[in-house]
Amino acid sequence: MTNQFIQAFFVLAVCFIASLIIDRAIKQFQRRFDSTALETFRLISNSQRAILLFVGIVLALSKLGFDVAALVAGLGLTGFALGFALKDAISNLVAGVMIVLYKPVKLGNYIEVSNSKGTVVDLNLRYITIKGEGAIHLIPNSLILSNKVSIIEQKDAS
């Protein structure tokens, strides 16, 4: 029994240390990019940490003699159901990551998309905020990647 606790602790420790090493590598890699990519790297870092710790916990429970097959199957079905239910949110999140990396639209651009025109005042992982014509429009990121976007050059007023 003591041997099982040592093995479980070792597996959990290895997963925890691996998540710290990967986190440090991601932070080193992040320094090569500008500050607009900070949210993307934070998301990647938090996701890898959660996944590795979850895998470590499942493996540690397995070493302790628990039957984790039902747990993993149940979580797989739950993940499928949540993924299907959150399809649009996940689509916007992935599109937000692509927008941050490829930068087709930048802050201050005057754009037209989905019958909305305005100046881009905010970019995040879910939507782009444009302000124009007396209204503020929140455009989901998936629309930016799937529709035609016109970046309109403005002439100086001077």
Side-chain angles (χ1 to χ4, degrees), residues 60-129:
L61 287 172
S62 174
K63 290 289 182 188
L64 291 174
F66 290 98
D67 182 21
V68 294
L71 173 70
V72 171
L75 289 174
L77 289 173
T78 303
F80 176 75
L82 282 175
F84 191 69
L86 299 173
K87 178 181 65 105
D88 291 335
I90 293 169
S91 173
N92 287 328
L93 183 69
V94 170
V97 170
M98 292 177 69
I99 288 170
V100 168
L101 292 177
Y102 294 118
K103 299 177 185 165
V105 177
K106 296 178 180 136
L107 287 175
N109 284 144
Y110 189 84
I111 66 170
E112 178 179 359
V113 61
S114 299
N115 298 323
S116 299
K117 292 181 187 179
T119 303
V120 177
V121 293
D122 188 31
L123 297 164
N124 64 41
L125 292 177
R126 292 189 55 224
Y127 51 82
I128 290 179
T129 306

Side-chain angles (χ1 to χ4, degrees), residues 33-45:
F33 294 89
D34 59 3
S35 63
T36 59
L38 182 63
E39 282 186 40
T40 304
F41 285 108
R42 188 178 313 133
L43 176 69
I44 293 169
S45 176

Side-chain angles (χ1 to χ4, degrees), residues 41-62:
F41 285 108
R42 188 178 313 133
L43 176 69
I44 293 169
S45 176
N46 290 341
S47 297
Q48 70 82 22
R49 182 178 296 139
I51 290 169
L52 275 176
L53 290 179
F54 175 74
V55 168
I57 289 170
V58 170
L59 290 174
L61 287 172
S62 174

